Amino acid sequence: MDRRASLTPTAGGVSGGAGGAGSGPSTSLAASQNLPAVLNNPGKGKQKDFFTRSWGDSFTEHRPLVSPSHLPDVQAEHFERYRRKVHKYASIHERHSPALPPSTPVILPPSSSAKDVDRVFLDPNFDLSRPDTFAAIFKFKPGISLTEQVQSDSAKLQEQLSHQLDSVEVDIAHQVAQKSHHFFQVMTYHDALMTQLKSLVKLIRNLRANLSSVDEKALQPSFQICQFKRRLSNAQSVLDKLSLMSFLHQTQPTIQVLLTTSEFSGALDLITTSCEIMAVDLKGVMSFRHLTSQLTEIKTIIGKILLEDFQTFISSEIGRETIHIKATALDHTQNSWTEFDTDQLRGVIYGLLRQNSYTFLEALEEASVIAIKSTMKEVVLNCIGDSLPNVKETTLTNLVGEHAQKASSEEWIDLFDVLIGSLIVLQQRIGVIHKVIMESINSANLSTDPSSCNNFNNNNNNNNNNSVVVPEEQLHRLRNTSQEVLINICDQMNERCAKLLTQRSKGASISHITTQELTNIGLLVSIMASESIKQSKRPCTGLQLCLQGQSVMFIQNFHDEQRLKVSQILEKETWKKSTSDPSPVLARLGAIPSMSNLFTTASTPPPPNEPTKTNGEGSHASHASHASSSCFHIRGQDFHVVECVSTFLKILAEYCNLCSMLPSVTVELGLKTADLVKFFNSRVCQLVLGAGAINVSGLKTITIRNLALASRSVDMIRYFIPSILSHFQTCYNEHRPQDGISSLNLSPGSTKAEIRQLEILKRQFDQASKHLDNHTLELFTKIVNVVDSIIQHHLCNWKPTSGVPSASFKALCKQLHKLYESVEDVWMRPEIRRLFEEVHKRLLSAVKVEIRTRGLGNVEHQYAQHLTSELTFYGQCMLRLDVLEETELTRETFERLWKTL
């Protein structure tokens, strides 16, 4: 019998063959395996040479190792860069390392029996066909016949080879004798192993018997318990399915009952739950195959009913009786016009959210726009309908346009007061409704609706059916849309009011606009803007921009009128010193806060770029006229000006007052003010320096006194410019809008555009001030040039005479005295001294020219001495006028002229 069959363990013990396992029932214990398969590779089957195989490197088969999948495939190329790098440093290392002695290979001593065997026979690559190998064995001598050598050495060579073969065989026999005991030792181990295997087979047989007993008494009953548990679970599942089918059979009657009591949310909740059960728990039940489509159709009908109810409710609540009330008389604590049934609205919104119908916000916007139109029309007809014919045949815009052409400021203000008040009441109604809608949307996915009770709550233990479940993305979109709807409604109110307000700026209607009207309308607009911000949390600028545009148009008309007025008063000006009382003008200017500190009697430092003005030394008696009532006293300085300056200052005061009343157009008004100053300066320059006053004012010529008065008048206007600019800046800062309209401000919160506009305003005033300065300098230069021409004329006509002074110098001094009389009651003392100092320099320069021309370079010349006496006479005249320093008018000073030639 084969050894494998005798050692095969089975469930009943050791069988006599491999087929013994099939005699009993097939169980998990019926596995068997033969001993060689256990000791050797089971996949190879029987191997006959297992016990006869030689031990060595070929005892086991060599199989290629499979590359691991979790490691990368590393090739020799990956180390190429490293090898090049190391090779560079290795060559350096070898050059600097000490040389080592060459290593000698270790040669094992040959055995005593095989020491006579030539080494060539032990070479693994031994090949007799190779010439070198053949020559090493058969050592033939050159020069001797090959045949003779073979015959003579063959016996000796054969004997030598036989001896070497015997030595090898002796070594092999010796080696076999040394290893024979290992074979017998292996056989002894094999017998012991067989004894242990028999004991193991016996133990396995006992173990299998015990396992069979455990299987029958413990495992099988446990398996039956699990089967019964699963059968009970299946039966319970079938019962639940039947219960759900019973409840679904009652769905449609329950929905009808809920719709009868207007519990739309409960009906929608029931439909949604039923559809979910049909799609998940009762999928594939043929008896309910049409129920889903029926419920979907009912759900669509409910959605339409809910949307219609929402539209009806919104229209009825927003379109209630219009409240005719003035905006200035509104009581924000009164909320009787905003009360309504919020529970009904919440129920409808919850139903729409469950229906996934999100278009109800568009219905709110449409209903609000319709209510805005009807409210505006009703208010306009109630206010002005009786005063205009054919009211029903015209549009609301044309109706207001006709009223704007006839209405006074009080009537126009009353119309807009009631209109804005009624719209604010309507806006509050819409705001309350929008607040309820926002609360309902924000409470989605959190709140529950008590009207959505149904039978599934008690039987399916699903409490989530009562809540409104809206996707977060859709919920966020609804919040944004709801806010945009309210913003659009507020924009509609502002834009429609702006459209009506624009009618006041068209055609002849603009002539009826007054400053008080713009101020009151601005108050109403601010009330409307505040309410819009309160409702929509964002500024609505349509009405404010319209009012600002109307104010700009009013300012433009006002500015054109003032330019014409300034041109007319300048053309009528006689350019003589004003004799009117300046108190009314000073009173109007003093009412402006930024100018209240200008009109004091104490002498204060002049403003920047203003030359220092003092009373000087030795005040002339004629300066007593400065205290007259016809001059302007500004910070201790007296200004004698022409008549038109008072009127122009009144106009500038009107601009400042207009800025205080209309702070929203501060920049535009400031630019117009700067433009008016430039226009005034330009016209004065044309009339005085350009001699235009000869044609329009009836003057025969432009005298030095006219030039002096014009210079002093322009100088005083320039003195007011910093205060006017300060007033515009202060007025704006105190009334800085908080509603988002871009304005100019120097506060940290100002935008770059606002700061840039304010810089433009300041630059325009600086330009106006510079133009006035240049004009004043040109007038001063003009006076000096006129006097210079007189000086040159008299010096050219001078002839030495026996007496001093000559006629030419008498006439020259007389002209200078007239010059002094022309400016002494107009200019301050420092200006007069500065004028005569310049005239003195011109005179000395002209004298030098005459000296060179007439050849009087020698101071000892008779004519030179005569000319020195004439100059001394001139100095005495200047000393009497007290306009020059005494040291500059001595005879020695004049004699030094010849040294500077």
Side-chain angles (χ1 to χ4, degrees), residues 317 320 334-340 425 428-430 432:
E317 290 298 331
R320 283 188 295 173
Q334 184 180 0
N335 57 358
S336 58
W337 51 70
T338 60
E339 296 177 353
F340 64 94
V425 172
Q428 291 177 353
R429 288 179 183 172
I430 299 173
V432 173

Side-chain angles (χ1 to χ4, degrees), residues 460-696:
N460 201 30
N461 295 326
N462 188 3
N463 295 327
N464 293 329
N465 293 335
N466 290 334
S467 62
V468 182
V469 180
V470 181
E472 288 297 330
E473 183 178 355
Q474 183 63 42
L475 203 61
H476 180 68
R477 191 181 300 114
L478 273 176
R479 293 191 184 102
N480 293 339
T481 305
S482 179
Q483 187 66 23
E484 290 176 0
V485 165
L486 189 58
I487 292 173
N488 293 338
I489 293 172
C490 294
D491 286 339
Q492 281 284 335
M493 288 187 179
N494 281 267
E495 290 174 2
R496 292 185 179 276
C497 289
K499 188 176 181 180
L500 298 184
L501 183 62
T502 307
Q503 303 302 316
R504 189 68 167 175
S505 305
K506 295 181 178 180
S509 303
I510 195 172
S511 60
H512 300 294
I513 299 177
T514 62
T515 306
Q516 189 62 36
E517 176 184 328
L518 291 176
T519 303
N520 293 336
I521 294 294
L523 176 62
L524 298 176
V525 170
S526 64
I527 295 174
M528 185 70 174
S530 300
E531 189 65 27
S532 299
I533 294 175
K534 180 180 178 182
Q535 295 293 338
S536 63
K537 304 297 185 295
R538 200 187 74 171
C540 300
T541 59
L543 186 56
Q544 292 174 314
L545 292 176
C546 177
L547 177 62
Q548 188 173 3
Q550 190 176 90
S551 300
V552 170
M553 294 180 64
F554 170 77
I555 291 172
Q556 183 62 44
N557 289 341
F558 174 79
H559 182 63
D560 294 341
E561 294 175 359
Q562 300 308 314
R563 280 175 63 97
L564 180 61
K565 183 177 180 180
V566 169
S567 180
Q568 291 175 350
I569 62 175
L570 286 175
E571 291 177 355
K572 296 178 181 179
E573 178 59 50
T574 58
W575 302 102
K576 296 180 180 179
K577 188 171 69 171
S578 174
T579 57
S580 59
D581 186 10
S583 299
V585 180
L586 295 178
R588 295 186 63 175
L589 294 174
I592 301 173
S594 61
M595 300 184 187
S596 58
N597 60 342
L598 292 179
F599 311 110
T600 59
T601 56
S603 179
T604 58
N609 301 326
E610 183 76 6
T612 304
K613 301 179 180 182
T614 60
N615 291 331
E617 298 178 359
S619 299
H620 197 270
S622 62
H623 281 204
S625 61
H626 289 183
S628 63
S629 60
S630 62
C631 70
F632 289 84
H633 301 279
I634 302 176
R635 285 188 178 179
Q637 301 185 41
D638 296 336
F639 288 88
H640 294 271
V641 295
V642 294
E643 192 71 33
C644 65
V645 173
S646 298
T647 306
F648 185 69
L649 290 177
K650 293 179 182 178
I651 295 174
L652 292 180
E654 291 181 10
Y655 275 83
C656 294
N657 294 331
L658 193 60
C659 177
S660 301
M661 300 178 69
L662 301 175
S664 62
V665 289
T666 299
V667 178
E668 291 78 5
L669 196 58
L671 295 176
K672 298 299 182 184
T673 306
D675 178 72
L676 187 66
V677 174
K678 294 178 183 178
F679 176 75
F680 174 81
N681 180 67
S682 175
R683 288 297 296 160
V684 171
C685 182
Q686 293 173 2
L687 294 173
V688 179
L689 286 178
I694 296 177
N695 298 326
V696 299

